[in-house]
Structures are given as structure tokens and as C-alpha cells.
Amino acid sequence: MNPILEVKGLTMDFGGIRALDHLDLHVNQGEIVALIGPNGAGKTTFFNCLTGLYKPTAGDLLLTPPGGRTRRLGGLKPNHVTRQGLARTFQNIRLFPNMTVLENVMIGRHCRTRAKVLGAIFRDRRTRQEEREIVALSISILEELGLADMINEFAKNLPYGAQRRLEIARALATEPLILLLDEPAAGMNPQETRELDELICRIRDKGLSILLIEHDMKLVMSLSDHIFVMDYGRKIADGTPEEIRTNPAVIKAYLGEDVDDA
Amino acid sequence: MLSFKDFGRACVVALWFMVLTFPLMVIKVNPIDRVITWRWHNMVWVGVGSFLCYLASRAWQIHRDARLRRIRLGQEEEKEPLSRRILQNPSIYRPLLAAGALFFLAFPGLFSTYQTNIMITALMYVVLGLGLNIVVGVAGLLDLGYVAFYAVGAYAYALLNLHFGLGFWTVLPIGGLLAATFGILLGFPVLRLRGDYLAIVTLGFGEIIRLILENWNEFSHGPSGISNIPRPGFFGIQMSLDQSITYLYYLMIGMVLFTIFVVNRLQNSRIGRAWFALREDEIACQAMGIDKTRTKLTAFALGATWAGMVGVIFAAKTTFVNPASFTFLESAIILCIVVLGGMGSIVGVIIAALVLILLPEYLRAFSEYRMLVFGAVLVIMMVFRPQGIVANIRKTYRVEEG
Ligand SMILES: Nc1ncnc2c1ncn2[C@@H]1O[C@H](COP(=O)(O)OP(=O)(O)OP(=O)(O)O)[C@@H](O)[C@H]1O
Ligand SMILES: [Mg+2]
């Protein structure tokens, strides 16, 4: 079976800097795949290329929905990539701060709904029905993520950990096939990180595939089915958590950068 | 508490204001007798006044900062803003609304034709403000050339009437559609621009339209404009001037209600949410699957539509259009209405439009100082309430039980 996401020879140049260098990577349906690497390795740049925010210099991005035809993602605009089934969170949280928690999630429904200007003005049956569905679905997602008691708060007033969860909720509202998480545990306390661990498992159990950038090695090792390691825009290793733990190239890359509890 | 430094600053501020207002407040030239009167006592007033005002504002600031600190430390509950408390409590806003409705319905009967005329102008700015509010307040696209769409509407009526004899009611929607088309035309080239760059290009667009109207004599009759534009008709009934002004007044009331209805529904819809999200974070917005191009263009087009329709009404009201009515100052005033009212707030924009248009009219008693007062009100508002009269209010939802 084809992997749901396949990246071939992805290269991204910023002027003279090569942030991604012929990167190959794949995600199988229903897997949690982690992408790790020292700071500045190009992980976020990879997400940006994948989601259409950057236009890659070279390479192929192929999405194969279960039971569907393979599609090229390269060159699509970000909103079309999201429609195809890739939803992401951001390393530095990018919520809509002056909208309520619920509205943030409702925005995620935008690409799956269709009400137009006239529908909005006349509020015909279909529009009202659609609006009710948007609200109901958004609330159920928020309930799942434990945010249901703050749906009318402004997003900017939420505590940090809740903001991270809200970003995930918003991404889930787009009904993605693959969820891309950029350092979701950053800035979370151990308790919140444990909850995040369970949450990601729950999302996977629903049939989503997950691509995870994370610096918290404990989380990565416990969650991942497969790990890709990057350094200087290149893939330096990939394999199961066991293989990565003992891989000399990985140890070298990490010991050069930070000597955390990795 | 006020510190010694604050008193020092207050002195500097007072001095600065004394210098700044020197030519206006102190020197008075009498060209007939060829004498100059030096009114030094005015300078003392300005000095003392600005000294005290500065201290008062400082004291208020210190008080506010202390309260914010206590709120952050959790020693004090955060108070709901006054505007929100009023707008979310039906037993307060219902009577207010009823009183307002009664006042506006009875207005032409209570006041002179002159006053009614002023009120019509104010109501036109309410609609213009609500229209620009879609573009600037809701979608966050700083448009400084909004008056161009107003001009398109006004000239649409003037020219279509002149050449084809089309009536007011026929041109009203045509003017709106034409302005929407221009909105999209302007929208396309500026899609990539944001903030200051967008502001400059839209400013240029506004000036281009005005310059075309001024210089293309065969098309627009140049600076002399077009006159004898018919007032709006009512099933062909002949009306006296007073009657037609009263008629126009109620027409404008209807227009305002229609605008409020539509704008409110738009804001609370899928599209309205997308506009808000676009204002908040363009990149996150795209990543959530919103088509940036289309969303911006609908905002431009729908905002422009209102300007176009009010333009038609303007031409019908004054029975005369020329390019001088569509200068940058108009755009600036409409923008002031939106910013002062509170970006994205319908109630705020209505209040701001009424205040900003009626205030200078009723300040005519203070003729030479009225623009000064006007400016001062704007500055004070922006210092003490940068979020506008009515701060951002979002719709609240309930979680259904069971
Ligand atoms: N828009 C850009 N223009 C120029 N250079 C960029 C741009 N975005 C990223 N880079 C460069 O690409 C390299 C990879 O950056 P990236 O943010 O992808 O790293 P990362 O792996 O996400 O690091 P971190 O763990 O700190 O988040 C860096 O050297 C960065 O300076
Ligand atoms: Mg990063």
C-alpha cells in the first residue's frame, strides 16, 4: 500500500541558504511519525513547504488518501492544501486572539462548508442548517479537548497550554487526513505534556495520521511509530524509536547541539 | 500618586501648547484698522488648561495601571466594560433603543427642515461608516480611497440620468453594483499588499478617480460638475422642497435599517468570520483553508456597494455633483468614524458617525474653534479609548444540555 504522504527530494533555498536538502520522508496511514532535529535543522521550513506557505525549490509532495487517487500538493495554495486534508498547528501559536474560542474552531470548518454572501444575508434553510452543524461540531471537538467550559472566552485570554490545545482543535475542525503538529509540547508543564500524549493517541485512534515535530524526547519516544531525524536540512537517520536511540549519527548531531535528557 | 517628574512634564506640555496655539489664540490681526491685538491672557488660559489636563490624564493613567496590576495579581475582579454591560443587558438597551427609534421617527416633525437636512447627511455617513467598517474594521484592510466608490455612485446617477433619463430607484442598485465592480477592480492589484502599502495604493486610487472626474470634461463635465439632478420620486407625486426633504429623510432611515440588517447578518456568518480571521492573522487564516483572495475581494466589493448606493442618494439630495465633493478629506472622515466607533462594531460606528457629523454642525456657534474642538475630541478619544467607543464584542454561544 502507498504511504498516505510521500515526500521526495524536497529542496528549499532561501537565497544562498539551503534550508531543505533533498529531503525524503513518508507517513503511513494511521501512524504517528516524529520529525526531530537540532534547532535550525529545517523542520518548520518543511511544514511550511508542505502546507503551501513556501514554494519549494524542487521536489515532490504526494498525498494518497485511503482508497483515493494520489495527488500532488506542490504548488497548491495553503487553503487548497488544507482542503486536501493537511491541517497544522504553529510553533509560535497563531490563534485568532480577538475571536472567541468557539469561533476559532468554527473558522476551521470554513473549508468544509459553503454558505455564500446571499445565503448569509437571507439565512435560508440550508445556511441555518449548516451554521447549526458548524457550531455543534465545533463544540463537540472542544469538549473532546477539554475546552468546553471556555467557549466564549477570547482566545488571547486562555492559558498557554489551553491555547496549544485550541490550535489542535482548530486544525481538527478542518477534518484533516494528516495532522501536522509543530512542537505542541513547547512550554507545557509535565502534567499538560502527559495529557497531550494521551490526546495525540486518541486522535490517532480515530484514524488520522500524525506528523509531529517535537523536542521533548520522552514524548517522541513514547508516541512515535517512526522517527525521522534532520540536521542542516538533510535527513540523517530514520527508523523506529529503538533504532534512533542507538543511532550514532543522531547521538552526534544532538551532542553537538544540546545535551538535554535526550 | 503623581510624582515630581509628572509636574515637570506637565510644565513642558503646557509650554508646548502655548507655543503651538500662539498664532491662533494670541495674535489677532485686524486688517481694516491695520492693528494687531496681542491677547496674552489667552496664552495664560491655554497654559493653565493644558497643565491641569495633563495632570488629570496622568492621574487617570496611574489609577488605571494600578487597577490592571491588581487584576493581573488576582486581587480584583476584572470589570466588564460599560459598553458591553449596556449592550448585553436587554432591560437597559431595549428602552434606549425604543427612545432612539421614536426620536428618529419623529425628527422631521420636531425640527426644522435645516436640521432635518443635517440629519440626512449624518445618516448618510452612518451608512458610509458601516460600509467602510466591513473593509477596515472587520477585514482589517486599511482603505484610504473609499470616497472613490462614493463618487462612482454619485456620478452613476448623474450621468445615467443625464444621458438615459434613468430614475433614482433604477440607479440605486446600479450604483451599488457599479461601485462593487470598482471595488473588485481595486481589489485585484492590491491583494498582496498589507497595512501601509495598501493604504497608499488605495489613497492613490481615490485621487485617480477624482482627477479623472475633474479632467475628463466630455465624460464628467469637469470641475463644473453636473446639475439639475432630479430628487428621488415617489410614484410620480409632485413634492414641495420641504416634503421631498422629509421624504429623503425617511428614505435614509430605511436605508440605515437595511444596512444594519445586512451588515449584521454578514458579520455573523461564515464569511464574516473569515473576514475577522483575516484581520487577526492572515497566515493562520490561509492555513485553516480560507481563500485569502476571494475573502478580500468580497470585503472590498461589499464595502464599496454601500458607498455606491449612498453616492446615488447624495447626488439626489444635493441635485448637483462635482469632483470637489469627493476629496481625500471625505475618506478620512469616514475612516475616523470607523476607528472612533470601534473597529468592527456596528453600534459604535453609528454613534461615531452621528457624533462626528453633528458635532461640527452644532459647534458652529464657536465658529473659529470648532475644528480645534473636533480635533481635540479625536485626540482625546484615541488617547483614552484606542479601542473605540464600543470595544470588540463577539457573539456568545451556549453548550446545549444533554
Ligand atoms: N523565510 C526564511 N527566510 C530565510 N531563511 C529562513 C526562512 N525560514 C527559515 N529560514 C532558515 O532556515 C533554517 C531552518 O529553520 P527552521 O525554522 O525550519 O528550523 P527548525 O528546525 O524549525 O528549528 P527550531 O527547532 O528552532 O524550530 C534556519 O537556518 C533559518 O534561518
Ligand atoms: Mg521550528
Side-chain angles (χ1 to χ4, degrees):
Chain A
M1 202 178 97
N2 280 340
I4 185 162
L5 179 72
E6 190 162 18
V7 177
K8 287 186 199 157
L10 189 70
T11 303
M12 178 80 217
D13 291 336
F14 292 112
I17 303 170
R18 176 153 287 193
L20 293 178
D21 193 358
H22 294 94
L23 189 72
D24 295 321
L25 182 151
H26 59 88
V27 178
N28 291 322
Q29 164 61 28
E31 269 187 355
I32 298 178
V33 173
L35 183 60
I36 62 172
N39 292 111
K43 307 179 295 292
T44 300
T45 305
F46 170 63
F47 267 23
N48 288 344
C49 290
L50 203 56
T51 53
L53 288 179
Y54 294 163
K55 207 170 169 307
T57 315
D60 250 348
L61 301 165
L62 303 171
L63 180 76
T64 318
R69 292 216 330 272
T70 302
R71 302 201 185 97
R72 281 211 156 72
L73 295 180
L76 288 187
K77 283 205 234 151
N79 52 310
H80 291 132
V81 174
T82 310
R83 266 186 80 95
Q84 294 294 333
L86 259 64
R88 71 174 290 180
T89 65
F90 292 88
Q91 182 170 355
N92 27 16
I93 301 177
R94 297 194 88 127
L95 290 166
F96 306 116
N98 293 306
M99 297 172 83
T100 63
V101 168
L102 182 62
E103 281 176 321
N104 266 274
V105 181
M106 287 165 79
I107 287 290
R109 294 302 299 153
H110 191 94
C111 61
R112 305 286 173 214
T113 47
R114 3 217 298 239
K116 297 262 168 21
V117 172
L118 287 183
I121 295 173
F122 294 112
R123 270 197 204 158
D124 53 308
R125 264 244 311 285
R126 241 201 37 224
T127 312
R128 272 177 292 156
Q129 175 68 22
E130 187 181 276
E131 192 74 9
R132 270 199 299 275
E133 280 166 13
I134 294 176
V135 174
L137 197 90
S138 304
I139 289 181
S140 75
I141 291 175
L142 285 169
E143 274 168 347
E144 229 178 274
L145 298 212
L147 293 166
D149 49 345
M150 31 180 118
I151 57 170
N152 291 320
E153 293 280 341
F154 281 120
K156 63 179 175 191
N157 293 340
L158 255 51
Y160 192 80
Q163 291 199 4
R164 286 241 173 253
R165 268 181 292 150
L166 178 54
E167 254 206 327
I168 298 177
R170 189 179 65 175
L172 286 176
T174 66
E175 286 177 44
L177 300 168
I178 308 178
L179 184 62
L180 311 173
L181 302 173
D182 197 344
E183 303 201 15
M188 283 190 170
N189 62 35
Q191 164 72 19
E192 285 173 327
T193 309
R194 262 196 309 283
E195 283 169 14
L196 182 72
D197 189 323
E198 284 163 25
L199 174 66
I200 294 177
C201 282
R202 273 210 310 270
I203 295 172
R204 190 256 320 266
D205 293 343
K206 284 196 180 157
L208 270 73
S209 314
I210 291 163
L211 186 51
L212 170 77
I213 296 177
E214 189 46 72
H215 279 303
D216 184 330
M217 283 305 151
K218 219 171 110 219
L219 188 71
V220 169
M221 291 298 167
S222 81
L223 272 176
S224 320
D225 298 305
H226 202 92
I227 299 177
F228 287 84
V229 190
M230 286 178 67
D231 200 6
Y232 298 110
R234 266 188 297 266
K235 182 173 82 180
I236 56 171
D238 78 279
T240 61
E242 286 318 308
E243 290 162 5
I244 293 301
R245 212 192 293 273
T246 52
N247 187 312
V250 178
I251 294 171
K252 187 162 158 254
Y254 267 88
L255 284 183
E257 294 286 336
D258 61 353
V259 205
D260 269 1
D261 54 350
Chain B
M1 264 335 284
L2 288 171
S3 67
F4 189 68
K5 218 163 101 194
D6 290 324
F7 282 93
R9 284 237 188 85
C11 286
V12 176
V13 169
L15 266 177
W16 173 238
F17 266 91
M18 279 150 78
V19 173
L20 204 64
T21 55
F22 177 78
L24 189 70
M25 303 297 287
V26 178
I27 307 174
K28 185 170 181 142
V29 183
N30 187 334
I32 299 168
D33 303 336
R34 301 204 167 186
V35 285
I36 297 176
T37 337
W38 299 88
R39 300 172 298 174
W40 293 110
H41 58 278
N42 276 350
M43 191 180 228
V44 177
W45 286 122
V46 169
V48 173
S50 46
F51 183 80
L52 291 179
C53 282
Y54 179 80
L55 284 186
S57 79
R58 239 342 254 169
W60 183 81
Q61 253 178 15
I62 291 171
H63 171 76
R64 185 189 56 177
D65 289 350
R67 203 175 51 120
L68 284 181
R69 202 166 326 118
R70 282 201 302 276
I71 289 172
R72 212 165 333 121
L73 294 176
Q75 292 166 348
E76 193 177 304
E77 278 287 296
E78 191 173 352
K79 259 199 310 193
E80 285 266 305
L82 181 67
S83 57
R84 206 168 296 174
R85 265 180 292 162
I86 291 177
L87 289 175
Q88 286 179 343
N89 188 343
S91 63
I92 301 179
Y93 78 71
R94 285 228 180 94
L96 274 180
L97 204 66
L102 217 63
F103 174 76
F104 278 103
L105 279 181
F107 195 89
L110 296 176
F111 296 93
S112 67
T113 311
Y114 170 72
Q115 313 271 9
T116 310
N117 229 333
I118 293 174
M119 194 48 110
I120 294 175
T121 309
L123 291 175
M124 280 167 40
Y125 278 90
V126 169
V127 178
L128 287 171
L130 288 173
L132 185 63
N133 190 34
I134 295 178
V135 186
V136 179
V138 181
L141 305 163
L142 186 49
D143 181 354
L144 293 183
Y146 193 60
V147 75
F149 308 122
Y150 188 37
V152 166
Y155 270 87
Y157 183 35
L159 290 171
L160 287 175
N161 184 270
L162 187 70
H163 296 304
F164 305 104
L166 294 186
F168 173 82
W169 290 105
T170 326
V171 182
L172 191 62
I174 296 179
L177 283 179
L178 215 59
T181 315
F182 271 79
I184 293 174
L185 281 182
L186 167 67
F188 262 113
V190 303
L191 277 173
R192 296 156 175 280
L193 304 178
R194 244 184 288 183
D196 336 8
Y197 302 103
L198 178 67
I200 291 170
V201 176
T202 50
L203 175 70
F205 177 76
E207 285 301 284
I208 288 171
I209 296 280
R210 188 178 63 80
L211 288 172
I212 288 176
L213 292 175
E214 207 150 88
N215 293 304
W216 192 359
N217 283 334
E218 303 79 57
F219 174 71
S220 66
H221 298 213
S224 52
I226 301 167
S227 49
N228 287 328
I229 303 169
R231 294 171 188 282
F234 185 66
F235 300 111
I237 298 172
Q238 282 294 321
M239 280 185 280
S240 71
L241 186 63
D242 277 9
Q243 279 169 333
S244 73
I245 284 177
T246 311
Y247 173 52
L248 199 65
Y249 175 84
Y250 285 112
L251 194 157
M252 226 23 247
I253 291 275
M255 184 76 186
V256 168
L257 292 178
F258 176 62
T259 314
I260 295 173
F261 173 79
V262 172
V263 171
N264 181 41
R265 285 209 156 175
L266 280 176
Q267 286 196 9
N268 288 316
S269 71
R270 170 174 175 268
I271 292 166
R273 280 193 301 273
W275 286 337
F276 264 111
L278 198 67
R279 177 182 94 178
E280 293 285 292
D281 190 325
E282 212 167 275
I283 289 183
C285 200
Q286 286 174 281
M288 285 305 113
I290 289 172
D291 187 338
K292 186 176 84 171
T293 312
R294 182 181 295 186
T295 308
K296 278 190 181 178
L297 285 181
T298 38
F300 268 118
L302 285 172
T305 309
W306 300 108
M309 291 202 282
V310 180
V312 174
I313 297 176
F314 171 78
K317 171 177 176 274
T318 53
T319 69
F320 168 72
V321 290
N322 77 343
S325 311
F326 307 106
T327 56
F328 170 65
L329 187 66
E330 291 297 311
S331 295
I333 289 177
I334 306 168
L335 187 67
C336 278
I337 290 173
V338 175
V339 175
L340 196 69
M343 305 274 263
S345 158
I346 293 178
V347 180
V349 166
I350 294 172
I351 297 173
L354 293 177
V355 170
L356 279 193
I357 303 305
L358 297 181
L359 194 68
E361 289 298 334
Y362 292 107
L363 279 177
R364 274 188 201 283
F366 311 91
S367 52
E368 54 186 305
Y369 303 115
R370 82 188 170 113
M371 284 330 261
L372 205 65
V373 175
F374 182 75
V377 169
L378 280 183
V379 171
I380 291 171
M381 267 307 285
M382 283 303 103
V383 170
F384 292 102
R385 246 192 112 72
Q387 71 275 45
I389 297 172
V390 179
N392 182 20
I393 298 178
R394 309 296 311 162
K395 191 173 171 186
T396 54
Y397 294 83
R398 276 180 313 116
V399 183
E400 302 292 328
E401 299 298 327

